[in-house]
Amino acid sequence: MGILEQDGSRALLNKGQDNEMEIFGYRTVLCQKVLCIVGYIFTFGLLWLLFYWKPQWDVWACCTPCTLEEADVVLLRETDEFKQYLRKKIQWTHLSELSSDKLSYGDDNCIINKSIIEPEMKVRYIWVQKIKYVWLHSEKCFQKAGNLEDVYSCSQIHARFGLGLSKEEQNLRRIVCGPNAIEVEITPVWKLFGKEVFNAYYLFQAASLSLWFSEGYIEYSTIIVVMTMLSIILTVYDLRQQSVKLNRLVESNNSAMVTVHTSDGGDEEMESRHLVPGDLIILTGKRFFLPCDCILLRGSCIVNEGMLTGESIPVTKTTLDQVINCTPWKIHSGEDYKRHVLFCGTEVIQTTASGSSSVTAVVLQTGFNTAKGDMVRSILYPKPMNFQLYQDAFRFLMCLVAISVIGFIYTVVVFAVKGASVRDIVVKSLLAVTAAIPPVLPAAVATAIMYAQKRLKKKKIFCLSPERINVCGRINLVCFDKTGTLTEDGLDLWGVVPSIDSRFQKVHMFTNGNNMPWCPLLAAMTCCHSLIILDGKIQGDPMDLKMFEGTNWITVDGLIILQQLPFSSSLQRMSVISQVVGSEEHLVFMKGAPEMVTNFCSPKSVPENFSCELQLYTLQGFRVIGLAYKTIQCPKDLNTESYSREEVESDLVFLGLLILENRLKPETQPALMEMNNALIRTVMITGDNIQTAITVARNSGIVQNHTTVILTEASEPADSCPASVTWSQMENTDANETAVIDIAKGNITQASSSYCFAMTGKTYQVLVQHFYSLLPKLLLNGAIFARMSPGQKSNLVEEFQKMDYYVAMCGDGANDCGALKVAHAGISLSEQEASVASPFTPQRANIQCVPELIKEGRAALVSSFAIFKYVTMYAIIQFICLLLFFWNLLSVGLYQYLVQDVGVTILVCLTMSLTQAYPILAPYRPPAQLISPPLLLSVIFNILLNMAIQICAFVFVKKQPWYSTTNFSACITNESNFGNGSITDLQQFNEYQNYETTSLWSIATTSCVILAFVFSKGKPFRKPIYTNYIFCTLLPIQLGVCLFVLFADIERIYRGLQLVCTPTIWRIALLILLIIFFLISFTVEESVIENRRLWLFLKQIFKYQSRSKYREIYRALQKDPSWPPVNTKQYVNMLDEEHRGAFYTNPCYKSDENGNCE
């Protein structure tokens, strides 16, 4: 953490990490705190609630800024675009029970020693999102506790921790670092209930209900209370279930028994929760799940990292080197440092001791600092969604608040001018406010997402983050891993191409009975793998398994594997040191990416036509592996020392190519074709060879047959030569060969204007470092990214997001977890625990789930818009109706409210979203903006139209000859159904029964039914409305009831609904107004609001252009005659200085398109 200000009042926590935060120091001022408490009392807790929602206001009100060293309270602010605040109180741990002479261990690197404040003998700390941070008084900053310091070199770790910790140091670290436990408490029901109730929406609803109860709306308020409580109970139940599931996921991690070796030479068995960073644990060989992250110091072991990677494949872990240097151990080990680390939650399958010593590991991280702890924290503290719909929803609600304020002022003025009592003025004005802000809105929008989640579940797609379903409706770019995602998991051994005397030989096919004679190539296939025998079966990587099975060796008696240097995706190779039985020589075998293997081979042993031979097979979609070997004349004694990669991976002899076949999954091509037809970009991100990736991309449909592939290659700066990037056009001229077409330097001709870029991870890294201004241009048409490391995959997804793409990532979880987390929609095809990194997990491991998810996302998004418009209109219609009543000091009756809200609106909200997704993806997306011209025009037009109808009825009813403010029996002489009682009886009307209320209630209620039909859209994102059987049954019933009430002269109904009888001619007039409203509203909605061609035409007329970054880049490149470059080379110093390092920011999830014009 670095200090940002010289006065020490502000600093960065977790600098450069995903959870980076700014931290500010504050000191509590007693008088300010007392004033705040007084404010809590006099505001009846409202001020406390405000501070509960806004913790930064609480700190600013009660505290004064100071240095972090003096602070007793800190305010933390996330550095992302959300800028969320956290308030944390600084705590102290006293070490008085430990003697001071045992608290120092002469280790300047130890955070524990730096955190002890002398002579008080105490430690200052804070807890932030389950992580403990201690104050380092010498460095004036907070630092994570629970980690072994990264500054230690390999030799220091062996020397400092190789013999274990003393019991005194264990106790000290235990106090400072806290327990090694991933504790996810099952949240009590009362706490979950309290959090829900303290939601601003529910508090507003509680205030509204109090007002309605005071006005005598007992039955109506009771029903709303019951429905609200039911909604809260269901929410609390879901949250409680999630809490229980998460608790069960981690509870076994806290109760394991481990053997710890101490510095006095003794071994002690203890609960894993007592482990501290630096403890030396002994791996006994029993299968068990690791309770912490640790570094392997002696021996080797095989673990199952399915929890982290999603692949239940045994992984070999090797001992940390004992080289003597000052380089921190992670930097020394490079990107491949994880081969020495045993991660928390992974299963130790097998251990192998080195000599007579036990297999030991030093604890690296404990508790929530571990890999599993970090995964659990990502569930507990997910990043908030910043989707345009949710932003606009808040702005829209603020508009409704503004309207309610106008209604409040109007009501106060009207009632005051007409001499109403103070109580009436206050109550009626507050009623106007509650009418304008629909309390049912959040629950109604959530209903659409809930239905979409249930439909996904029926399709065997499980969703962990329902709020992302709407985001899926805007996806316009999907990234795919290759192996296990587009292609089958398993590989079939096709053959080998031996290389003898620097020449490729005839392909050896592994058919029945066609065994390969003994040779170094066969020896490499036999022992250069990471397979193990477990429970009587050979297990390991599927490719290694196929390779070994091809040799037809049941057991390997002729070769002994002495040491393994495991495969790493970053190194793209693995090596083994073997020995032939009866021989003293050691053999080194290497297997990996052919291009990488040849880098370690003697040039004389590599055939001259290596590149052509490699392309011959990769262009057919084969997986190609290079093999090499050498003999070590002066072998080491591996009982006392081991080989390093630098010693064995040099001057190898190239043995040949291993050819494996990886078939496409049958669902791949149809799914990609469906997305291509919908104009959704598809991109391949793989760790495989570039040529193989290009072929698979063509065969699968990611790259169309008519599309020209331009290979982009970049080189790092070397000596006096600056970094460079070259472009060459690739063309698949034959099924069995490829050629780099030497065309005239310049542009692609018009006939082949459809193009895409392909590049490797190495090129991508150079572009990011030296050609960043070119990167967005290349990504605009980038389709194939090969030899990509896991970190590069994540970075690529983020770069696409910076261009304002809505990105989905689909992978099998192996090396894709990072990319799955950062994507707008991560889809994991793995059912391992690693899938929790992804919001979506299909049960069927193929990509057919991707178009299905997009369809449901689009349907949910359209449903959310429809519900938003409908609920808004329902509230405004009631609001207008109420304001017109207030003009005459009238009001709405209890049962009138009940029918409108419960009988119409709530039922519509519950059924409108039941319409299923349309089975065909449209070639454009639904809009994501509420504050957009089409939606605003729809809402405003219908508001004005309904207002006009209501005002018309309100004005003209007063001009009727039968109108009266005292006698409400206008139809008594004409309607026989009212002839059973006396006139005196019929004139006993209450305050809600009058001609204005009867007329406007009929119009308002029927208008809500009409708008439910008008706003319910079908194609192209949802099925036609008639397929929603419940909704289509409900609307005619509601409309029939409304018309029945309007024309039925039944005394009990009129009395029950607090209506009065009006002449038939007036009821016909109201029906005509409603028919006019329906015809105009439906016509405008269909011919104008939903007319996509019209809006596209208007955009052309007004020359409106999308502001999304990728659209701006596309328009710029359309005007660039030199793009795309072909057969050209560009150096870094050729770039325009003002564009070098240009950065494309992305206010995450910002508007991609204004209107739905894509």
Side-chain angles (χ1 to χ4, degrees):
M1 184 188 72
I3 299 295
L4 299 183
E5 294 189 355
Q6 292 183 356
D7 61 2
S9 64
R10 176 185 178 192
L12 272 182
L13 204 64
N14 307 319
K15 186 176 182 181
Q17 300 178 28
D18 290 340
N19 58 340
E20 182 181 86
M21 296 180 182
E22 289 179 282
I23 181 171
F24 305 87
Y26 285 89
R27 185 175 61 253
T28 303
V29 179
L30 184 59
C31 61
Q32 293 179 217
K33 183 68 176 178
V34 170
L35 287 175
C36 287
I37 294 174
V38 173
Y40 300 160
I41 297 171
F42 280 95
T43 59
F44 301 100
L46 290 178
L47 182 61
W48 178 86
L49 270 177
L50 188 63
F51 287 168
Y52 172 79
W53 295 328
K54 296 287 185 181
Q56 66 270 30
W57 293 2
D58 182 21
V59 174
W60 296 337
C62 300
C63 308
T64 183
C66 66
T67 63
L68 288 170
E69 189 172 15
E70 300 170 334
D72 59 5
V73 172
V74 293
L75 186 65
L76 299 110
R77 182 176 66 189
E78 295 179 358
T79 56
D80 56 18
E81 71 270 22
F82 304 104
K83 305 293 183 185
Q84 289 188 326
Y85 283 90
L86 293 173
R87 177 190 184 277
K88 294 296 175 182
K89 188 172 179 62
I90 290 178
Q91 303 178 56
W92 295 87
T93 294
H94 293 273
L95 307 175
S96 54
E97 66 272 15
L98 299 177
S99 57
S100 59
D101 60 333
K102 296 182 179 180
L103 293 180
S104 179
Y105 298 93
D107 190 346
D108 296 334
N109 296 323
C110 182
I111 289 177
I112 308 297
N113 291 341
K114 295 178 182 179
S115 65
I116 300 174
I117 299 175
E118 297 178 344
E120 295 88 349
M121 308 307 296
K122 57 184 181 179
V123 176
R124 190 166 174 258
Y125 66 93
I126 54 175
W127 284 97
V128 181
Q129 295 182 347
K130 303 288 186 180
I131 299 292
K132 187 176 185 179
Y133 297 84
V134 295
W135 175 256
L136 308 185
H137 61 281
S138 59
E139 301 177 13
K140 310 298 182 187
C141 66
F142 282 100
Q143 187 68 43
K144 281 183 183 179
N147 291 327
L148 199 65
E149 294 77 8
D150 288 337
V151 295
Y152 289 114
S153 66
C154 296
S155 58
Q156 285 176 325
I157 289 178
H158 279 278
R160 175 74 174 82
F161 305 104
L163 297 177
L165 301 175
S166 65
K167 289 188 178 297
E168 291 82 4
E169 189 172 2
Q170 283 180 332
N171 292 333
L172 173 62
R173 288 175 178 260
R174 209 165 283 142
I175 294 172
V176 175
C177 298
N180 172 42
I182 304 174
E183 293 178 331
V184 180
E185 64 278 0
I186 299 177
T187 311
V189 173
W190 66 266
K191 187 178 288 188
L192 292 171
F193 187 82
K195 285 184 178 180
E196 281 297 306
V197 169
F198 286 143
N199 185 294
Y201 156 68
Y202 287 122
L203 290 175
F204 172 77
Q205 197 170 50
S208 301
L209 287 168
S210 301
L211 187 64
W212 297 336
F213 270 117
S214 68
E215 279 294 280
Y217 299 124
I218 307 297
E219 292 89 342
Y220 170 72
S221 300
T222 302
I223 290 176
I224 297 299
V225 168
V226 171
M227 295 185 65
T228 301
M229 290 302 298
L230 184 62
S231 174
I232 293 175
I233 289 171
L234 289 174
T235 302
V236 168
Y237 175 78
D238 287 340
L239 292 173
R240 173 80 174 186
Q241 290 296 102
Q242 292 176 16
S243 180
V244 170
K245 287 179 181 179
L246 197 55
N247 176 269
R248 289 174 180 170
L249 175 69
V250 301
E251 63 181 352
S252 61
N253 187 80
N254 305 326
S255 57
M257 298 300 294
V258 293
T259 303
V260 178
H261 184 80
T262 55
S263 60
D264 60 7
D267 294 342
E268 179 185 359
E269 192 169 0
M270 64 173 65
E271 280 193 14
S272 59
R273 65 183 299 107
H274 299 307
L275 290 174
V276 295
D279 265 335
L280 188 70
I281 62 174
I282 298 175
L283 304 179
T284 60
K286 295 186 297 184
R287 295 183 66 156
F288 80 110
F289 289 91
L290 285 159
C292 60
D293 290 352
C294 45
I295 306 172
L296 194 61
L297 295 188
R298 296 186 188 90
S300 63
C301 62
I302 298 171
V303 298
N304 180 353
E305 293 188 339
M307 185 278 298
L308 293 177
T309 66
E311 286 185 334
S312 296
I313 295 173
V315 178
T316 301
K317 298 292 183 175
T318 58
T319 302
L320 181 69
D321 301 332
Q322 295 195 46
V323 293
I324 301 175
N325 58 36
C326 297
T327 307
W329 72 276
K330 278 189 178 180
I331 297 176
H332 169 79
S333 302
E335 293 183 13
D336 204 31
Y337 75 92
K338 293 181 180 179
R339 72 181 187 271
H340 309 305
V341 180
L342 308 174
F343 292 104
C344 177
T346 60
E347 184 184 15
V348 177
I349 299 174
Q350 195 177 85
T351 60
T352 304
S354 177
S356 59
S357 59
S358 302
V359 180
T360 58
V362 61
V363 176
L364 175 64
Q365 296 176 131
T366 58
F368 280 94
N369 294 290
T370 62
K372 185 170 183 177
D374 184 62
M375 184 183 72
V376 174
R377 286 198 323 118
S378 68
I379 301 172
L380 292 173
Y381 307 102
K383 285 191 175 182
M385 289 293 299
N386 189 6
F387 187 41
Q388 188 68 40
L389 172 64
Y390 305 142
Q391 292 182 348
D392 287 351
F394 178 77
R395 298 190 187 105
F396 211 84
L397 283 175
M398 290 302 100
C399 293
L400 294 179
V401 170
I403 293 173
S404 70
V405 171
I406 295 173
F408 179 86
I409 297 171
Y410 163 87
T411 306
V412 170
V413 172
V414 168
F415 275 76
V417 168
K418 297 193 176 184
S421 65
V422 174
R423 180 191 179 280
D424 282 350
I425 293 175
V426 172
V427 171
K428 300 301 183 184
S429 58
L430 291 176
L431 276 175
V433 172
T434 62
I437 304 174
V440 75
L441 182 57
V445 175
T447 302
I449 299 175
M450 180 187 71
Y451 289 150
Q453 187 178 9
K454 287 186 175 181
R455 288 194 294 268
L456 286 172
K457 191 174 181 179
K458 287 183 179 179
K459 296 177 180 179
K460 306 299 182 182
I461 302 173
F462 301 99
C463 174
L464 298 177
S465 183
E467 66 273 11
R468 290 185 182 261
I469 295 177
N470 272 338
V471 181
C472 292
R474 294 290 293 168
I475 294 297
N476 58 351
L477 187 150
V478 185
C479 300
F480 293 99
D481 180 36
K482 183 181 76 69
T483 306
T485 303
L486 298 176
T487 61
E488 298 285 358
D489 285 316
L491 294 164
D492 293 324
L493 184 60
W494 188 78
V496 292
V497 185
S499 173
I500 301 176
D501 297 330
S502 303
R503 292 182 180 179
F504 282 114
Q505 307 300 306
K506 184 179 178 180
V507 178
H508 178 87
M509 307 292 292
F510 287 95
T511 56
N512 292 333
N514 188 19
N515 295 331
M516 178 180 285
W518 174 255
C519 62
L521 179 58
L522 182 63
M525 294 174 61
T526 302
C527 64
C528 195
H529 54 69
S530 57
L531 300 176
I532 63 170
I533 298 178
L534 189 64
D535 299 329
K537 294 182 179 180
I538 300 177
Q539 297 185 21
D541 185 273
M543 187 191 74
D544 287 351
L545 201 56
K546 285 290 183 182
M547 179 184 70
F548 182 76
E549 288 174 352
T551 65
N552 290 327
W553 281 43
I554 304 303
T555 57
V556 186
D557 296 326
L559 283 172
I560 302 173
I561 299 175
L562 303 175
Q563 182 185 343
Q564 286 185 347
L565 299 172
F567 176 80
S568 165
S569 58
S570 58
L571 299 177
Q572 299 178 357
R573 66 184 186 275
M574 75 165 292
S575 298
V576 297
I577 295 89
S578 302
Q579 185 178 22
V580 178
V581 175
S583 171
E584 294 184 358
E585 291 182 339
H586 288 178
L587 300 175
V588 177
F589 294 100
M590 177 186 284
K591 177 190 70 178
E595 310 94 326
M596 183 61 69
V597 170
T598 54
N599 289 339
F600 298 93
C601 291
S602 169
K604 294 179 181 180
S605 69
V606 180
E608 293 181 358
N609 63 335
F610 168 78
S611 297
C612 295
E613 191 76 11
L614 178 61
Q615 288 182 356
L616 175 66
Y617 296 103
T618 55
L619 279 178
Q620 298 177 66
F622 288 113
R623 178 84 177 269
V624 183
I625 302 296
L627 297 167
Y629 94 113
K630 78 173 183 179
T631 302
I632 300 177
Q633 300 297 335
C634 299
K636 290 184 177 182
D637 181 4
L638 292 181
N639 290 322
T640 58
E641 58 181 332
S642 58
Y643 291 103
S644 66
R645 283 192 183 271
E646 290 75 16
E647 290 177 294
V648 298
E649 293 181 341
S650 62
D651 294 325
L652 299 169
V653 177
F654 184 71
L655 292 174
L657 300 174
L658 181 71
I659 314 298
L660 300 113
E661 190 175 13
N662 196 195
R663 297 185 180 91
L664 287 174
K665 292 182 179 180
E667 300 85 2
T668 295
Q669 287 181 323
L672 290 173
M673 182 182 298
E674 186 175 7
M675 285 183 277
N676 289 336
N677 292 338
L679 303 184
I680 297 172
R681 272 193 66 186
T682 52
V683 171
M684 180 193 293
I685 311 177
T686 178
D688 208 343
N689 175 276
I690 183 71
Q691 300 291 354
T692 302
I694 291 173
T695 302
V696 173
R698 283 197 183 276
N699 293 340
S700 63
I702 288 179
V703 175
Q704 304 295 315
N705 292 331
H706 62 274
T707 301
T708 301
V709 178
I710 302 176
L711 181 64
T712 305
E713 298 177 289
S715 302
E716 291 273 8
D719 299 329
S720 60
C721 183
S724 63
V725 57
T726 59
W727 292 272
S728 57
Q729 181 175 334
M730 305 295 296
E731 185 173 329
N732 191 9
T733 57
D734 195 319
N736 291 323
E737 66 180 64
T738 185
V740 179
I741 307 301
D742 294 325
I743 61 175
K745 204 171 184 178
N747 307 325
I748 295 177
T749 61
Q750 186 67 30
S752 59
S753 58
S754 178
Y755 65 93
C756 70
F757 293 107
M759 67 184 74
T760 63
K762 177 184 175 183
T763 294
Y764 177 78
Q765 198 65 33
V766 175
L767 290 172
V768 170
Q769 293 177 355
H770 302 285
F771 297 91
Y772 196 71
S773 60
L774 279 177
L775 188 62
K777 298 179 182 179
L778 294 170
L779 295 187
L780 185 68
N781 286 85
I784 303 163
F785 300 85
R787 297 294 188 213
M788 297 287 282
S789 67
Q792 289 172 336
K793 289 183 179 183
S794 302
N795 183 265
L796 177 61
V797 170
E798 290 176 330
E799 291 299 329
F800 277 127
Q801 290 174 336
K802 290 174 184 177
M803 296 171 65
D804 288 343
Y805 280 110
Y806 284 79
V807 185
M809 175 69 197
C810 183
D812 58 2
N815 294 312
D816 311 312
C817 287
L820 292 172
K821 282 184 179 181
V822 300
H824 294 149
I827 307 165
S828 173
L829 301 186
S830 168
E831 294 185 5
Q832 298 289 332
E833 286 185 31
S835 65
V836 299
S838 168
F840 303 98
T841 306
Q843 188 173 342
R844 302 183 184 94
N846 61 69
I847 68 168
Q848 188 57 50
C849 62
V850 179
E852 293 297 332
L853 183 59
I854 295 174
K855 292 172 191 174
E856 290 296 344
R858 290 181 173 186
L861 189 57
V862 170
S863 297
S864 297
F865 270 76
I867 286 180
F868 212 101
K869 288 167 63 175
Y870 174 76
V871 174
T872 301
M873 282 302 306
Y874 138 77
I876 296 299
I877 287 172
Q878 272 196 348
F879 180 70
I880 294 170
C881 188
L882 196 62
L883 294 188
L884 290 174
F885 290 156
F886 285 170
W887 185 260
N888 287 350
L889 304 185
L890 303 173
S891 189
V892 182
L894 163 64
Y895 294 104
Q896 295 168 6
Y897 265 135
L898 207 59
V899 171
Q900 282 185 344
D901 287 10
V902 180
V904 177
T905 302
I906 291 177
L907 292 178
V908 166
C909 291
L910 290 175
T911 57
M912 182 184 281
S913 301
L914 289 173
T915 307
Q916 297 184 9
Y918 197 68
I920 300 174
L921 278 174
Y924 54 93
R925 299 169 296 159
Q929 293 176 293
L930 283 171
I931 312 298
S932 62
L935 188 135
L936 288 178
L937 178 61
S938 175
V939 171
I940 293 173
F941 175 79
N942 281 290
I943 287 174
L944 295 177
L945 180 61
N946 194 267
M947 182 189 297
I949 291 174
Q950 288 199 54
I951 291 175
C952 183
F954 183 76
V955 171
F956 281 102
V957 73
K958 295 182 179 181
K959 297 183 181 298
Q960 301 306 310
W962 40 264
Y963 175 79
S964 172
T965 58
T966 57
N967 182 8
F968 302 113
S969 304
C971 61
I972 193 66
T973 58
N974 299 323
E975 309 298 340
S976 59
N977 288 344
F978 280 83
N980 296 327
S982 65
I983 296 178
T984 303
D985 292 336
L986 294 175
Q987 289 178 339
Q988 293 176 356
F989 301 102
N990 60 38
E991 59 178 312
Y992 304 113
Q993 292 179 286
N994 51 73
Y995 293 122
E996 292 92 335
T997 302
T998 300
S999 301
L1000 294 190
W1001 180 85
S1002 297
I1003 287 179
T1005 307
T1006 311
S1007 294
C1008 290
V1009 179
I1010 291 172
L1011 288 174
F1013 175 78
V1014 171
F1015 290 157
S1016 295
K1017 300 301 171 190
K1019 294 173 59 177
F1021 305 115
R1022 301 198 304 173
K1023 287 184 178 180
I1025 187 176
Y1026 58 78
T1027 61
N1028 186 346
Y1029 304 117
I1030 298 178
F1031 186 67
C1032 285
T1033 303
L1034 175 69
L1035 285 188
I1037 292 174
Q1038 290 178 332
L1039 182 62
V1041 170
C1042 290
L1043 296 178
F1044 177 77
V1045 171
L1046 179 63
F1047 286 98
D1049 296 331
I1050 302 175
E1051 179 184 1
R1052 290 183 179 178
I1053 294 177
Y1054 276 50
R1055 291 284 186 183
L1057 292 175
Q1058 298 170 315
L1059 301 174
V1060 297
C1061 183
T1062 57
T1064 303
I1065 189 66
W1066 176 246
R1067 288 178 255 179
I1068 293 174
L1070 294 180
L1071 178 61
I1072 292 172
L1073 284 177
L1074 289 169
I1075 292 173
I1076 292 172
F1077 173 71
F1078 167 72
L1079 292 175
I1080 296 176
S1081 177
F1082 182 78
T1083 302
V1084 170
E1085 194 75 18
E1086 291 297 319
S1087 61
V1088 178
I1089 306 301
E1090 296 296 326
N1091 190 336
R1092 186 168 178 270
R1093 292 184 178 180
L1094 173 63
W1095 289 103
L1096 291 175
F1097 175 74
L1098 291 175
K1099 286 184 177 183
Q1100 292 178 350
I1101 294 295
F1102 292 100
K1103 297 182 179 180
Y1104 172 83
Q1105 293 181 323
S1106 171
R1107 291 173 297 195
S1108 56
K1109 294 291 189 300
Y1110 74 91
R1111 287 285 185 181
E1112 292 175 352
I1113 297 168
Y1114 174 78
R1115 290 193 293 268
L1117 293 181
Q1118 288 290 95
K1119 301 175 183 178
D1120 187 354
S1122 64
W1123 193 266
V1126 177
N1127 269 19
T1128 60
K1129 189 169 187 176
Q1130 186 171 358
Y1131 294 95
V1132 68
N1133 54 9
M1134 295 169 60
L1135 291 175
D1136 188 349
E1137 286 293 329
E1138 66 176 347
H1139 295 302
R1140 187 185 302 175
F1143 188 75
Y1144 292 84
T1145 59
N1146 177 33
C1148 194
Y1149 309 125
K1150 282 289 183 185
S1151 167
D1152 192 24
E1153 294 295 329
N1154 289 306
N1156 48 352
C1157 62
E1158 181 169 316

